[in-house]
Each structure stands twice: as C-alpha cells, then as structure tokens.
C-alpha cells in the first residue's frame, strides 16, 4: 500500500495513550487523533459541530469524546452526537495503522459528514 493511498502520516501510535487525544493539522485542517478506552485509534474533525471548540481537549470515555465547552459528546466511530447541545455529526476520517505509524486520509470521510474548510 502506498503512502498516497494511506493518507498523511500524522504520528506514531505510541504518541497517543488510551483515553487521550492528539490534535494534528493536515493541510491546515484540524484533526483529533483519539485512542478510545479499548485502545483503538480514530480520526475525527477536531472542531465541535455545536461551537468552534477543539474536541481533542475533551475527555475520552468508551468510544466517545466530550467537548469541554458545552458537554456535547460524539461517537468516535460514527461522528454522531450522543449528547446535546450538538445535533450535527463531525466528520470521521479513514485511519491506517502501518506498524506503529498512523496515517489519516482527510479526503476519505467514512461517515459522510460534510467537511468544512478543507
């Protein structure tokens, strides 16, 4: 598999602890790389759909991340809001793990959510 089909190399898997998130920029687009409670790695847009707040600064519990601003929670697999006040999903991007390298393809939105500013 070529790097082009994997997306952008964003970090090493060891850079992200369980229940933590890392903010990265891919072509100036903010993405949260998140390791859920089970240790799986996800990539979602790093901006809450309710307010212009970084999701990577929120808490991770199970397979969800909570926006610290108003308490909205998002499913890391689907991007769907699990808790109000957010009602729009956030984009979820394709992730490829190759060894310890984590690649994200922001051109491959796996949940069909609209991507602003890319």
């Amino acid at each position: 598999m070529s790097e082009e089909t994997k997306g952008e190399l964003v970090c090493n898997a060891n850079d992200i602890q369980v229940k933590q998130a890392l903010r990265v920029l891919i072509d100036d687009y903010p993405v949260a790389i998140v390791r859920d409670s089970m240790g799986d790695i996800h990539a979602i847009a790093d901006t809450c759909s309710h307010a212009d707040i970084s999701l990577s600064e929120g808490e991770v519990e199970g397979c969800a991340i909570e926006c610290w601003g108003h308490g909205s929670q998002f499913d890391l697999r689907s991007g769907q809001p699990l808790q109000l006040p957010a009602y729009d999903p956030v984009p979820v991007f394709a992730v490829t793990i190759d060894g310890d390298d984590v690649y994200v393809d922001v051109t491959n939105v796996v949940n069909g959510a609209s991507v602003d500013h890319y």
Side-chain angles (χ1 to χ4, degrees), residues 11 21 24 29-31 36 38 46 71 74 80 82 90 104 107 110 115:
C11 66
V24 299
Y29 187 81
V31 175
D36 67 21
M38 299 298 293
D46 189 40
F74 298 91
Q80 291 297 315
L82 303 172
V90 293
V104 175
T107 65
V110 297
V115 179

Side-chain angles (χ1 to χ4, degrees), residues 21 24 31 38 44 46 56 62 69 74 76 78 80 83-84 89 92 95 100 105 112-113 115:
V24 299
V31 175
M38 299 298 293
I44 63 169
D46 189 40
S56 62
F74 298 91
L76 294 168
S78 69
Q80 291 297 315
Q83 180 72 33
L84 294 174
V92 175
V95 175
D100 287 330
D105 184 356
V115 179

Side-chain angles (χ1 to χ4, degrees), residues 5 15 25 28 30 37 42 46 54 58 69 89 102 104 106-107:
T5 58
D15 294 338
L25 292 176
D28 293 325
S37 295
H42 308 271
D46 189 40
S54 173
V102 178
V104 175
V106 292
T107 65

Side-chain angles (χ1 to χ4, degrees), residues 10-17 20-22 35 41 100 102:
V10 293
C11 66
N12 184 290
N14 298 318
D15 294 338
I16 313 164
Q17 300 302 310
Q20 290 190 339
L22 173 70
R35 190 179 288 260
I41 296 176
D100 287 330
V102 178

Side-chain angles (χ1 to χ4, degrees), residues 50-109:
H50 169 254
D52 191 19
I53 296 175
S54 173
L55 291 175
S56 62
E57 296 176 19
E59 292 192 28
V60 178
E61 189 61 46
C63 197
I65 192 164
E66 181 175 339
C67 176
W68 62 267
H70 298 108
S72 293
Q73 295 176 355
F74 298 91
D75 186 298
L76 294 168
R77 298 161 296 197
S78 69
Q80 291 297 315
L82 303 172
Q83 180 72 33
L84 294 174
Y87 55 88
D88 290 326
V90 293
V92 175
F93 304 108
V95 175
T96 302
I97 311 292
D98 185 3
D100 287 330
D101 293 334
V102 178
Y103 294 84
V104 175
D105 184 356
V106 292
T107 65
N108 186 354
V109 182

